[in-house]
Amino acid sequence: MTVSARAMAAATPASRDRYVDLLRVASLATVVCGHWLMAAVSTDGIGNLLALVPPLQVLTWGLQVMPVFFFVGGFSHALSYRSLERRGGGRPVYAAFLRARLQRLLRPTLVFVLVWAALALLVQLAGADGGRLAGAALRMVTQPLWFIGIYLAMVALTPPLLRLHARWGWGAFAALAGAAALVDVLRFALGVPYAEFLNFAFVWLAVHQLGFLRADGRITRPALLGAAGLAGAVLLVAAGPYPLSMVGMPGEKVSNMAPPTLALLCHGMWLVGAVQLLARPATAWLARPRVWRGVVAANGVAMTAFLWHLTAMLGVYAAQLAAGLALPEPATAAWWAQVPPRILLAAALTAALVACFRRFEAPRPGPVAPPAAQAPAPAAGGAPGSGPGAAVGTTLCLLGILGLSMTGLGGLLEGHTAVLIAFPVTAPAAIGMAVGGAWLVERSASARRVRLRG
């Protein structure tokens, strides 16, 4: 049974940190709007507006807000895992935590992947994937999935990172930041091959660790954190070899995003400090019932909207071409004049796609754990739900989704490959890993439900 946003908003406990929910929605909405603005589609293919107009790259210092989403993730993961531990009466809760955090993420993601894989196969069988626009669209539509792969890693590593946080606090964050700096030294000063890929973990997990610190109320001087991050980012970019843009640019030798750099970590620090400074007035604003209902409703469909927003944008351009309307050259006056109506149409089409696919994001009721005193005895080798299936499934999902974000969906039948952390991967293999991993996570959860009922 679906619970309305109004009912959920009315049932919100007074202790809930509503600002975190606002940050989650606002960060994804900012990314969506940024993608709609930056995609420079023409009859020659799909380019990047920021590469065509380099001075606009400074906008990424405000539009690159994925660090805020991962920061919010750290906060939520800390609270969720600790809550499960308290209710679990000391029993291992890793599989339950994975299922609780991944259910609303994996289901809409896999539906998106399978729908687009079917479309890509039809396009290729029809021989239409050789066109510039079609080929570029099949490559581009899966690129935002990288963030879901990173998020899966954060969920999987939450328990050990929480233990490090409990022991070292700010020291755990400092260790990850120091490791990120060392990786950049190995990469830029010593030229160690493949060392840069380690920063996919160190940079994003350091931002995630800031969420743990917020959960414990330990970010007491956000202005200092923000100022240190901003100063660090400015100095690193000014001294080089770090580029100005905080998102990847086509043709650049160095990207702050792929793999992440110390400059991007500093960028994340200043963003976290900035949003923390806004927490008090924003919390007061969220106390208004109508505002809070809007945030609750948006949170219920945020992931679905994020997954399908590029599809909507491509649909707008396809409709324009089908209507016989010319696509102006990007960054020209005619192109800028079309930006507002194009974004409005993309928003409307995204809303229609959300209406079609939102049910896959709706949470399903999970098992109700028995009280600790009445809990069934653990099976040999672990407690209910503590087997390796959930962890293995999460790892497969992570690799599959990251791989698909790199390969795209073009050339499904030709075996087109991309390099994922030094290993070649094809789109069919990536899809197989993602689907198989999700099945393992759900199978582990189903086994746990059976044991709990028994």
Side-chain angles (χ1 to χ4, degrees):
M1 182 178 66
T2 302
V3 181
S4 69
R6 181 182 294 271
M8 292 175 64
T12 302
S15 60
R16 185 176 182 86
D17 192 330
R18 302 183 180 197
Y19 185 48
V20 167
D21 294 286
L22 175 64
L23 289 178
R24 183 183 296 110
V25 169
S27 59
L28 286 180
T30 301
V31 172
V32 166
C33 292
H35 285 169
W36 284 341
L37 178 64
M38 288 189 297
V41 179
S42 68
T43 52
D44 292 328
I46 303 176
N48 191 311
L49 175 66
L50 302 183
L52 297 174
V53 190
L56 292 180
Q57 291 179 17
V58 71
L59 295 178
T60 62
W61 288 54
L63 293 175
Q64 171 53 289
V65 292
M66 271 306 173
V68 175
F69 186 88
F70 292 145
F71 164 67
V72 168
F75 175 90
S76 300
H77 297 161
L79 267 58
S80 175
Y81 191 79
R82 289 168 176 171
S83 175
L84 283 170
E85 280 191 317
R86 288 192 298 270
R87 288 184 285 150
R91 294 178 295 115
V93 296
Y94 187 50
F97 170 74
L98 287 178
R99 179 182 183 273
R101 301 310 300 176
L102 298 185
Q103 177 183 322
R104 289 184 62 185
L105 185 67
L106 289 181
R107 290 177 67 220
T109 300
L110 291 179
V111 168
F112 169 81
V113 166
L114 293 175
V115 168
W116 258 105
L119 289 174
L121 188 59
L122 290 175
V123 168
Q124 185 166 3
L125 289 174
D129 66 330
R132 290 180 179 178
L133 277 177
L138 291 177
R139 289 192 303 271
M140 183 185 71
V141 75
T142 63
Q143 287 178 1
L145 293 179
W146 72 266
F147 119 85
I148 294 176
I150 297 297
Y151 196 80
L152 287 171
M154 291 175 172
V155 173
L157 293 173
T158 287
L161 290 175
L162 262 180
R163 287 193 290 271
L164 288 176
H165 164 74
R167 182 169 183 179
W168 300 107
W170 276 100
F173 167 78
L176 288 167
L182 177 60
V183 166
D184 275 10
V185 171
L186 296 174
R187 175 185 182 183
F188 297 120
L190 302 178
V192 176
Y194 301 117
E196 63 269 25
F197 291 107
L198 293 172
N199 266 351
F200 276 113
F202 293 138
V203 168
W204 290 126
L205 291 178
V207 175
H208 189 248
Q209 209 78 9
L210 289 174
F212 294 169
L213 291 161
R214 187 188 193 280
D216 288 347
R218 300 184 65 175
I219 302 181
T220 56
R221 303 177 70 180
L224 178 61
L225 176 66
L230 184 59
V234 170
L235 289 173
L236 288 170
V237 169
Y242 305 94
L244 173 65
S245 174
M246 290 298 163
V247 302
M249 290 289 104
E252 275 192 332
K253 293 182 179 179
V254 176
S255 167
N256 281 320
M257 268 289 295
T261 64
L262 182 62
L264 184 64
L265 175 56
C266 290
H267 172 72
M269 290 168 58
W270 95 256
L271 283 178
V272 169
V275 298
Q276 281 295 98
L277 288 172
L278 297 173
R280 182 171 296 178
T283 299
W285 181 60
L286 289 166
R288 301 178 182 180
R290 182 174 297 180
V291 173
W292 178 236
R293 284 198 300 270
V295 172
V296 171
N299 257 303
V301 298
M303 187 53 58
T304 303
F306 176 82
L307 288 167
W308 292 98
H309 76 281
L310 286 180
T311 304
M313 183 203 70
L314 293 170
V316 171
Y317 278 109
Q320 187 173 350
L321 288 173
L325 301 175
L327 294 179
E329 284 298 310
T332 62
W335 187 88
W336 282 108
Q338 290 185 5
V339 167
R342 187 167 59 242
I343 288 180
L344 288 174
L345 288 171
L349 186 51
T350 299
L353 290 167
V354 166
C356 292
F357 295 104
R358 62 180 299 176
R359 64 183 180 276
F360 298 105
E361 188 174 352
R364 292 184 295 181
V368 179
Q374 301 174 12
S386 63
V392 172
T394 302
T395 302
L396 285 173
C397 282
L398 185 159
L399 295 174
I401 290 173
L402 280 180
L404 192 59
S405 74
M406 300 179 71
T407 64
L409 289 167
L412 281 176
L413 300 180
E414 283 83 10
H416 168 71
T417 65
V419 177
L420 175 64
I421 316 177
F423 295 99
V425 63
T426 65
I431 293 170
M433 285 190 290
V435 173
W439 177 80
L440 278 175
V441 172
E442 185 58 32
R443 182 175 179 271
S444 176
S446 299
R448 179 176 182 271
R449 287 196 293 270
V450 169
R451 286 193 290 264
L452 286 175
R453 284 196 295 267

